[in-house]
Amino acid sequence: MDGEGSAAGVGALLAAALRVYERSYGGEAQVAVCAPGRVNLIGEHTDYNQGLVLPMALPLVTVIVGSSTSGQSCSVETITDSADEPRRVDFDLPTESSPLTRGRPAWANYVKGVVQHYRAQPLPAFKAVIASSVPLGGGLSSSASLEVAVYTFLQQLCPDDGDKVAKAVACQQAEHTHAGVPCGIMDQFVSVLGKEGHALLIDCRSLEATPVPLADPALVILITNSNVRHSLTGSEYPSRRKQCENAAAILGKSSLRDATMQNLEDAKDRMDSVTYQRAHHVIEEIARTAQAADALKRGAYAEFGRLMVESHNSLRDLYEVSCPELDVLVAAAMEVDGVFGSRMTGGGFGGCTVTLLQADATERTIKHIQEKYSGRPTFYITTPSEGARVLSGMKS
Ligand code: ADP
Ligand code: MG
């Protein structure tokens, strides 16, 4: 990781979590697991349209340590600062007649949701500590990494059938029902199935994943966190989803994945201009993602970079989910010699950009962005990492 970023390595996170575990609960944790955040290289706002996405798992992770315990009462503590809320929560295991429901603190809903959607029984009660190096709310999917880490933790206490796709779907369900975010499958999927040295081309309709090698030492994937988050009404994401569903319905398709630009042009008179724009982005973005994966396989980095910039411009102009800070970060990166491409990544309205560049251009790119961006960016130099895993060296 780059010195600019404040991300702790897995070992340091684990040590911190174990210390808190011992202080809070006494004794040693039996189990330690981690699950990564992710960055999406291209294919934004396409997952809930049954489209293609090309993310990679990050070296930034959520670690959970813990043990099973007798009785029905679970205790979970997070080390991560989470919006002035209590960091510890206690709840009873769910039963048929009293399922776990949403409540306070808000962060615990991600944990409870996964417990509720876990795919094996009987789950024992547990006590656990959470530590994370994924920035919260930064668009690198701390939420999915938390869900997948919880699921992976539960697998150690009460093994399920090991079906990884079903695991990702259960975590997505948790986010829908307990966090109230109608997210697509991408984040949970790559946090479960990420592969070191590879990006993952995910077909969100068939749930098929194709690893695409991305381990060229001459390349760097730089993430720049704008450290801004514009809290609009909170309804922007659901409203984009609705607009896409409307567009698909007008086109007579079950999703925009099945639509072509020709279909859209033919139906232009039957929809308002905003609906047209949203569908325009999604249809082209799905095609761009397929092209980008192909370019990456061929090592055609300049082509990949061009597609990243096209994606950004489309998110800015057609999907309208960028913001001035992200636009400045992308523009600044693109001014540097050796940068192939840059774009906003994640849901938008703040959060991060992702930039593909020659490794030898890293220092000057960071310096140039710092000069051009009036805020305080955080940089992460990242490599495609492994999905959720059990951390070795623990007693079980
Ligand atoms: P993103 O997934 O892009 O980071 P979200 O808004 O989807 O942003 O999820 C962020 C939320 O997830 C936080 O506000 C918090 O409720 C929860 N969360 C994620 N990681 C942790 C953690 N380590 N400890 C407590 N809460 C966490
Ligand atoms: Mg999230």
Side-chain angles (χ1 to χ4, degrees), residues 38 110 137-145 147 175 181 183 187-188:
R38 61 98 188 93
Y110 296 89
L140 302 181
S141 211
S142 69
S143 59
S145 78
E147 291 147 10
E175 185 144 345
V181 180
C183 59
D187 303 355
Q188 293 80 5

Side-chain angles (χ1 to χ4, degrees), residues 35-53:
R38 61 98 188 93
V39 68
N40 191 19
L41 299 172
I42 195 162
E44 212 66 77
H45 288 280
T46 52
D47 63 344
Y48 54 82
N49 289 295
Q50 310 261 301
L52 304 174
V53 293

Side-chain angles (χ1 to χ4, degrees), residues 290-366:
Q291 276 174 42
D294 184 58
L296 198 55
K297 279 180 205 151
R298 288 184 278 112
Y301 304 135
E303 183 182 340
F304 191 93
R306 260 198 316 278
L307 292 163
M308 289 175 84
V309 174
E310 278 180 25
S311 167
H312 181 79
N313 294 345
S314 176
L315 289 158
R316 182 191 62 204
D317 301 334
L318 296 175
Y319 219 64
E320 298 180 287
V321 291
S322 188
C323 61
E325 292 87 349
L326 293 174
D327 296 341
V328 166
L329 290 175
V330 168
M334 292 312 299
E335 284 164 4
V336 182
D337 198 28
V339 170
F340 294 115
S342 185
R343 57 183 287 277
M344 59 156 277
T345 184
F349 305 114
C352 295
T353 63
V354 58
T355 303
L356 185 74
L357 67 160
Q358 284 170 10
D360 59 12
T362 309
E363 218 173 292
R364 63 175 180 267
T365 303
I366 289 176

